[in-house]
Amino acid sequence: MNCGEGIDTRQVDELYINLDPIQAGGRLTTDAMKAVLAYGDGYSVCDHCNKPFRLDHISKPPLAEFHKDLASFVNMDTARLVPGARRGFQAVADALVKPDDPVLLTAYSHYTEFISVEQAKGTPFEIPADESHIITKDAAADRIEEVIRTTGKKPALMFVEQVDYQYGNLHPVADIIKVAHQYDIPVLCNGAYTVGIMEVDGKALGADLLVGSGHKSMAAPAPSGVLATTNEWAETVFRTTRVKGDLTGRTFGIKEVEMMGCTLMGVTSVGMMASFPHVKKRVKEFDSQVKYVNLIVDALLSIEGTTVQSEYPRKHPLTRMNTTESFDKISKTHKKRGFFLTSALRERGIAGILAGSTRVWKFNSYGVTEEQAKYVADAFVDIAKAEGLSCSS
Amino acid sequence: MSKRAVDAVFQGLYLLTDIRGILRDTVPSHTLSDKQKQEAEKIIGKLEKQISILKEELLA
């Protein structure tokens, strides 16, 4: 069934339990799906855009209020919608980093954080992780000292991930930020895997800048996200235009330079807004999601040879497993080779794990019910047993 | 202009979306609990009403 010429109707989430590492938290709520139906047309939020002609001032649909609610939701002073977390990184790097400025990132920073530094012509320096795949305050302090010593400059900005995309580990962001602040380094906390999934209090973390992803963790269409700041940084990051046309003399009101004026002018912002009441509720139920991921991980660990590379017990549903000594051994002789595992999962109505993976792979169980978590856990054990692997459960 | 027909289209789409939500909530077996069955029955009833409105507005 097609939804357009040559475009198949996507039914992954209607047919399967979807464990895709990047898709779980962005799955739309039914209200967001309804918003998509009503606001799919291009500039659909601009029907009632009046002076001063900026997205965060539109009151119908209630985007002005939504911006305030978003800031309050993450306990920051000001928030703007951005087309994905990456555009938040880009806006901040562009505002704060000058050519050749050193910028601190971590061993688990997303590539878009690096590229935002590259675009601003800064020089990236990574804070290493420890053997448990955690970024510590001591590693941050050592790296700051080293960067200052070797470059003769204080880093212009530090990026730190609250939960990283590689291991799904929860890092001691508040401690790291305290260290950075001792050197007067502003910190951008990357909450792409946390804002909208678990409760995030930007002020409690000490973040100067906080970025969340709508399509990754706030049940919103892509590309969407939020960039929130403290009052101290709002003026710098959300500076308004001062440019003037040399022939026409035109000026451009209160458009914000780093936002390129308005950001999410249609289905993305309304989809995000429609999901928001549900998102506010679901972050309070995060403990259940942690319980469910541990249930699945425990089942996987009962399969002989399987290890979990993420911190354990799990504190977040994004998890990295190592099945080199279990499922990968089966793949050597299986007729479907490395595809046997994902194929067996699909036969059981489970999707989202990278096809062909039998060594190191990630899953994200965010959003499953207890019944579905048990079903997934049982499915892994059933597959293992069917292939002759020994299981302790 | 038939505002009634337009409303019926959106209402129908929203009701179908509610069913889509139930399908998503119950993957992979789509086995509905008694409560979900009652909900689905209610939605389908409302959907039939919207279809009747469309027939009245567009085909009469």
Side-chain angles (χ1 to χ4, degrees):
Chain A
M1 184 178 27
N2 284 1
C3 57
E5 201 177 316
I7 308 167
D8 201 12
T9 301
R10 182 177 182 270
Q11 301 177 338
V12 175
D13 292 281
E14 285 75 19
L15 294 173
Y16 301 95
I17 296 173
N18 184 3
L19 302 178
D20 190 296
I22 61 171
Q23 291 179 343
R27 192 178 296 124
L28 298 189
T29 60
T30 49
D31 281 346
M33 288 190 271
K34 291 173 189 175
V36 167
L37 290 166
Y39 281 84
D41 292 323
Y43 285 108
S44 58
V45 304
C46 305
D47 295 334
H48 305 281
C49 180
N50 302 312
K51 266 188 177 173
F53 305 116
R54 206 173 72 191
L55 190 79
D56 57 304
H57 288 260
I58 292 174
S59 55
K60 194 178 172 187
L63 282 160
E65 199 184 328
F66 180 46
H67 278 79
K68 286 178 193 146
D69 289 347
L70 270 176
S72 155
F73 175 60
V74 291
N75 195 20
M76 296 291 275
D77 296 320
T78 307
R80 294 287 183 271
L81 294 174
V82 286
R86 62 191 65 199
R87 295 294 181 181
F89 308 148
Q90 183 185 37
V92 171
D94 193 56
L96 271 61
V97 179
K98 294 183 182 63
D100 300 323
D101 274 352
V103 177
L104 283 164
L105 300 103
T106 79
Y108 302 135
S109 288
H110 194 252
Y111 78 91
T112 56
E113 293 172 288
F114 276 86
I115 289 177
S116 72
V117 175
E118 184 175 18
Q119 200 171 42
K121 297 185 170 56
T123 310
F125 292 90
E126 292 172 287
I127 304 167
D130 69 9
E131 64 282 0
S132 311
H133 308 295
I134 297 290
I135 308 294
T136 65
K137 65 179 171 124
D138 291 341
D142 289 348
R143 198 63 173 141
I144 292 170
E145 287 287 347
E146 187 193 334
V147 169
I148 293 172
R149 197 171 55 244
T150 55
T151 66
K153 282 179 163 180
K154 184 188 77 176
L157 174 66
M158 178 192 281
F159 287 88
V160 63
E161 299 73 38
Q162 194 175 16
V163 163
D164 71 89
Y165 77 97
Q166 291 193 38
Y167 292 89
N169 287 351
L170 187 65
H171 301 279
V173 167
D175 294 341
I176 295 167
I177 292 176
K178 259 185 211 160
V179 168
H181 284 174
Q182 284 168 10
Y183 295 84
D184 285 329
I185 301 168
V187 181
L188 182 156
C189 174
N190 176 358
Y193 277 101
T194 54
V195 175
I197 296 286
M198 53 194 273
E199 289 185 282
V200 177
D201 183 328
K203 294 248 172 87
L205 292 173
D208 302 287
L209 308 130
L210 177 64
V211 169
S213 169
H215 53 261
K216 197 167 269 165
S217 298
M218 300 179 79
S224 60
V226 57
L227 166 59
T229 72
T230 56
N231 282 334
E232 186 186 355
W233 292 99
E235 226 170 275
T236 307
V237 175
F238 303 128
R239 70 194 160 100
T240 51
T241 174
R242 287 178 188 171
V243 77
K244 194 174 184 178
D246 71 326
L247 294 178
T248 61
R250 285 179 304 153
T251 55
F252 305 95
I254 60 160
K255 299 291 191 202
E256 290 167 339
V257 176
E258 302 301 348
M259 298 294 103
M260 289 298 287
C262 296
T263 51
L264 310 185
M265 292 85 86
V267 70
T268 42
S269 57
V270 182
M272 198 172 170
M273 190 162 55
S275 277
F276 191 54
H278 305 280
V279 165
K280 280 198 287 189
K281 189 168 168 248
R282 78 185 194 179
V283 295
K284 295 185 190 303
E285 294 157 3
F286 182 65
D287 287 350
S288 300
Q289 292 300 318
V290 172
K291 184 179 141 196
Y292 303 156
V293 67
N294 277 301
L295 198 149
I296 296 168
V297 171
D298 286 344
L300 278 159
L301 292 177
S302 77
I303 302 165
E304 191 184 359
T306 298
T307 59
V308 56
Q309 292 193 328
S310 303
E311 63 184 333
Y312 176 79
R314 300 295 304 123
K315 295 176 185 167
H316 189 277
L318 172 64
T319 300
R320 178 157 149 159
M321 300 301 303
N322 187 338
T323 51
T324 308
E325 295 301 317
S326 52
F327 289 130
D328 193 54
K329 283 188 171 172
I330 301 301
S331 75
K332 306 287 182 210
T333 53
H334 199 284
K335 64 178 178 185
K336 291 185 181 171
R337 307 295 289 180
F339 291 91
F340 91 91
L341 176 60
T342 43
S343 168
L345 286 168
R346 223 167 166 86
E347 280 166 18
R348 288 163 173 80
I350 299 165
I353 291 164
L354 189 66
S357 303
T358 49
R359 293 174 192 166
V360 175
W361 47 274
K362 294 188 288 186
F363 74 92
N364 191 343
S365 59
Y366 188 75
V368 296
T369 61
E370 185 165 16
E371 194 182 333
Q372 287 168 330
K374 284 178 181 164
Y375 179 85
V376 171
D378 289 345
F380 278 118
V381 172
D382 282 350
I383 294 165
K385 284 181 177 169
E387 298 299 338
L389 290 168
S390 141
C391 301
S392 59
S393 67
Chain B
M1 177 198 287
S2 171
K3 178 78 165 69
R4 196 167 171 246
V6 172
D7 283 347
V9 165
F10 277 100
Q11 196 56 52
L13 288 168
Y14 294 163
L15 290 162
L16 285 168
T17 302
D18 287 331
I19 293 174
R20 187 180 177 191
I22 291 173
L23 290 171
R24 285 181 164 217
D25 289 344
T26 55
V27 284
S29 68
H30 294 147
T31 306
L32 275 59
S33 66
D34 288 345
K35 197 179 161 196
Q36 285 166 323
K37 278 182 189 167
Q38 278 176 10
E39 200 187 330
E41 199 177 356
K42 212 165 137 187
I43 295 167
I44 292 165
K46 285 183 182 173
L47 186 58
E48 283 167 344
K49 196 177 163 196
Q50 299 308 316
I51 290 167
S52 301
I53 292 171
L54 286 172
K55 282 180 180 170
E56 281 171 28
E57 290 294 313
L58 303 177
L59 306 179

